[in-house]
Structures are given as C-alpha cells and as structure tokens.
Amino acid sequence: MKITELRLSRLFSDKADTAPAVKPLSTTNIATKAEDRVNIIGAHLTAATRAAGAKPAHNPIRTRPPITTHVLDTSRGCPANGIEVRLEMWKDNQARPQFGETYIDGWIILGSSATDKDGRSGQLMNMVEALVPGIYRISFNTGKYNPDGFFPYVSIVFEIKESQKWDHFHVPLLLSPFSLSTYRGS
C-alpha cells in the first residue's frame, strides 16, 4: 500500500519530476497504520463471508429488460442486422417441456423484435422487477437472414431458477452459415 501511496502522490503532485516528501514515521505510527490496514482487510473479508450466505441483493429498479439478446455473424465479422427474434415462456400444466416431445400450446409469446444494425434485438418483454422462474425460449429466424445456410431457425431453451429471478440474462447468438454458438452473457 505504501508503494501505491507514493505513486499516487507523485502522480498528483505539482512537481512531477521531484519525489514527494516522506516524513519518517515513529514506531507507534507504523503500528497504528498496520492495525488500520488489518482492520480494513478484515472488514472486507467479513463482509464477503456474510454476503456468501445471504440472499443475493438485487437492484430494485431495472434499466433494461431482464432478458436480452444480440446476434453476431461470425462469418462476416459483424453484427447480424434484421433477424427476427421471438421470446417465449413455457406455461403448460406440465412442470417442464420434455426433450423429444412435440408441444404446440405450451409456449406463450412474451415478445418479438428484429435485430438492429448493432445486432441487438429490441425489447422482447416488459420491464419487470423479478422474472417468473421457469423455462424460456429465444428463437431466431436465421433462414431469412442467410437463405443458403444450414439453419432455417435457431431456438435456445434455458431455465431461470427461483434464486436467479433478480438476475439479468443476456443470451447472444454467434452465427455463421454452418455453425452456431451461444452463452449466458451479462
């Protein structure tokens, strides 16, 4: 910390080419400063331990919808403009959709949009404080964007747990004519 103090002192001093004056410290001052630093570090560690067991804090006012996406065309190295995007949530009586089953009426459309020149979709859902935990699906009309590609459309299905209802979910699609990738961004 002393090195950082000296560097900051030099950075903000009027005479940058001269070393800052450092007064010699008495043994009592050194011991007091050391105790102060240990107390500060201890407070940070205690706060981190308490936070790990506590409920996750959330921002009470969202500045963007809790689920967002964008599409990047990795074959061209640029954002994908004009791709239709649809966000849906599973609302059937069944607890969750099962792999390999065909469902027609279980998905409820929350919103739709198209990507802009930056590859970002418009608002796909209303601004809500807490997300409803459940299964969500984002679908992209990639066949219209790239008619000669392998994927006529892409659907990404993901689950939001009760403990994640305050989180933000950014689910991007990285697309080329014959491959795709996705991840949970921030």
Side-chain angles (χ1 to χ4, degrees):
M1 287 184 71
K2 190 64 180 172
I3 292 170
T4 302
E5 290 171 9
L6 290 171
R7 287 179 177 162
L8 286 171
S9 163
R10 177 175 284 172
L11 181 66
F12 294 108
S13 70
D14 290 337
K15 299 175 185 175
D17 57 323
T18 61
V22 179
K23 326 185 266 193
L25 297 173
S26 67
T27 311
T28 310
N29 286 344
I30 293 172
T32 305
K33 286 190 180 264
E35 283 180 26
D36 290 344
R37 288 180 182 149
V38 169
N39 288 337
I40 290 169
I41 292 169
H44 288 296
L45 292 174
T46 307
T49 306
R50 272 186 264 139
K55 290 182 179 178
H58 67 277
N59 185 359
I61 299 173
R62 290 191 189 264
T63 57
R64 59 187 171 185
I67 299 175
T68 57
T69 189
H70 74 272
V71 184
L72 299 176
D73 186 334
T74 56
S75 66
R76 295 181 182 135
C78 62
N81 186 7
I83 294 183
E84 297 170 28
V85 183
R86 184 171 61 199
L87 176 65
E88 300 164 287
M89 182 180 183
W90 181 253
K91 287 286 194 175
D92 201 344
N93 293 334
Q94 208 173 318
R96 61 192 304 130
Q98 300 297 314
F99 176 77
E101 298 292 325
T102 304
Y103 299 102
I104 296 173
D105 297 328
W107 295 101
I108 305 297
I109 296 176
L110 299 178
S112 62
S113 180
T115 57
D116 62 15
K117 64 182 177 74
D118 294 323
R120 300 193 179 281
S121 74
Q123 188 168 323
L124 294 172
M125 66 181 306
N126 293 330
M127 295 287 284
V128 294
E129 286 302 312
L131 276 167
V132 176
I135 308 288
Y136 290 81
R137 177 171 69 182
I138 296 181
S139 298
F140 304 86
N141 187 357
T142 54
K144 186 175 178 185
Y145 174 77
N146 193 349
D148 297 328
F150 185 66
F151 304 103
Y153 69 92
V154 172
S155 288
I156 301 169
V157 179
F158 56 99
E159 183 172 12
I160 296 175
K161 308 273 188 193
E162 177 69 30
S163 62
Q164 299 172 312
K165 67 183 181 182
W166 302 108
D167 293 355
H168 176 254
F169 291 85
H170 185 67
V171 187
L173 176 65
L174 284 67
L175 178 69
S176 76
F178 299 99
S179 69
L180 63 93
S181 180
T182 188
Y183 58 94
R184 179 183 173 193
S186 57

